Amino acid sequence: MHGTGVPLATPFADGAIDHERLRSLVAWLERAGVDFLVPCGSTGEGPSLTTAERAAVVETVADATDLPVLAGTGREALEPTLETTALAAEAGADAALVVTPSYYGTDDADLAAYYRALADRSPLPVYLYSVPKFTDRALAPELVAELASRENVAGIKDSSGSLGSVQRLVEHTDDDFTVLVGSGSIYAAGLAAGADGGVLAVANVVPERASAVFGLDRADRTDAARERNAAFVELNHAVTARFGVPGVKAALAMRDQPVGRPRRPLRPLEREDEAALESILERSLEE
């Protein structure tokens, strides 16, 4: 997985997955130039999907695109994660994105044993997913370096939002281990530090802008990449820290890509928040 990845929003209609709208969203993102797709992640409300629904979403995405598919398969224990990963493989995924289990407050030794066992038994290459916003812990670069030596551990998505963390991950791992930036606000800086790409919630909303950042970086136009990135930093904050998944879904509707309501307990944005988000989106598209 290299380049700009999109953690796909999951469309719903009357509480059920809207597979037709999902195929339409995939086509729109593909036309915008993104490099790979990530269904069933945090932005895709993966924790709110049943195991069967996750497999169905992955199958729809894989059938709708020729781009690589990195499926979110992480659960709170090894066996459910292996089951979900196996189903994702059968559905056409190319790799598995596995979030750090967090419910029981595991330590580094627990996590190391968990990911080693998963890598040994997974039918797909495993990408670690460090997202302290939701799990209340980050995967330490030293632990990642240890896991990176396993044949089936292919990379990491680092959603800490810390450029220093991305830099340390790049420093601690070999070139064949993929480091993906998980925050749209530091995408250009992360690429300049040696990251291989990103998985960015904001890329749902401005996929053409996020893709341009990667293209400019690879053309050695790092200043232009940073400038292009800066134009959507406020939008990134709005659809992650400020409004979250409901914000992503509202912004997609503003871009004529409606994906329905988020699943409860999440609620759609209030009208006042929609107006604020629309203003931010308009400014991002003008810059």
Side-chain angles (χ1 to χ4, degrees):
M1 304 292 163
H2 292 74
T4 301
V6 184
L8 289 164
T10 301
F12 295 115
D14 297 323
I17 296 167
D18 187 337
H19 290 275
E20 181 178 354
R21 175 51 60 183
L22 179 57
R23 285 188 286 270
S24 177
L25 178 62
V26 167
W28 182 66
L29 293 168
E30 193 167 357
R31 289 194 300 270
V34 304
D35 298 294
F36 62 99
L37 300 173
V38 188
C40 305
S42 302
T43 304
E45 299 171 77
S48 301
L49 302 175
T50 68
T51 299
E53 285 176 328
R54 287 202 194 196
V57 167
V58 173
E59 184 173 18
T60 294
V61 173
D63 287 347
T65 186
D66 292 326
L67 297 176
V69 175
L70 174 61
T73 65
R75 308 287 292 275
E76 280 298 312
L78 178 62
E79 284 73 17
T81 298
L82 283 168
E83 178 190 15
T84 307
T85 302
L87 290 172
E90 292 174 7
D94 298 291
L97 180 67
V98 181
V99 68
T100 304
S102 61
Y103 188 86
Y104 290 108
T106 48
D107 60 21
D108 281 356
D110 294 325
L111 292 175
Y114 168 76
Y115 278 117
R116 284 196 298 266
L118 177 64
D120 289 346
R121 296 169 60 184
S122 171
L124 295 173
V126 172
Y127 282 71
L128 314 174
Y129 180 16
S130 180
V131 55
K133 172 184 176 180
F134 297 131
T135 65
D136 201 31
R137 67 173 297 126
L139 289 172
E142 294 82 4
L143 173 58
V144 173
E146 176 191 341
L147 293 170
S149 65
R150 308 294 287 198
E151 183 177 353
N152 208 30
V153 177
I156 184 171
K157 176 190 176 186
D158 176 18
S159 292
S160 67
S162 165
L163 178 58
S165 177
V166 172
Q167 291 171 323
R168 293 186 68 210
L169 287 168
V170 171
E171 177 66 25
H172 278 73
T173 57
D174 295 334
D175 290 343
D176 59 354
F177 182 81
T178 301
V179 176
L180 299 171
V181 180
S183 170
S185 294
I186 61 166
Y187 190 28
L191 292 172
D196 302 287
V199 179
L200 316 172
V202 72
N204 279 281
V205 183
V206 286
E208 67 280 27
R209 305 277 171 133
S211 296
V213 171
F214 183 77
L216 289 166
D217 176 83
R218 288 307 183 258
D220 293 326
R221 299 178 59 193
T222 54
D223 289 343
R226 289 175 186 272
E227 183 177 349
R228 185 66 58 92
N229 193 167
F232 59 77
V233 165
E234 188 64 27
L235 177 63
N236 179 75
H237 176 79
V239 299
T240 54
R242 185 173 178 185
F243 299 128
V245 171
V248 171
K249 290 198 157 183
L252 276 167
M254 295 169 194
R255 296 221 64 188
D256 298 321
Q257 296 295 322
V259 290
R261 299 165 57 101
R263 269 197 174 160
R264 295 174 180 171
L266 300 179
R267 296 183 299 124
L269 296 188
E270 300 291 343
R271 186 165 299 180
E272 181 179 344
D273 290 334
E274 274 197 0
L277 177 59
E278 185 170 22
S279 176
I280 294 169
L281 175 59
E282 288 175 351
R283 291 199 303 272
S284 297
L285 293 172
E286 287 171 358
E287 293 181 5

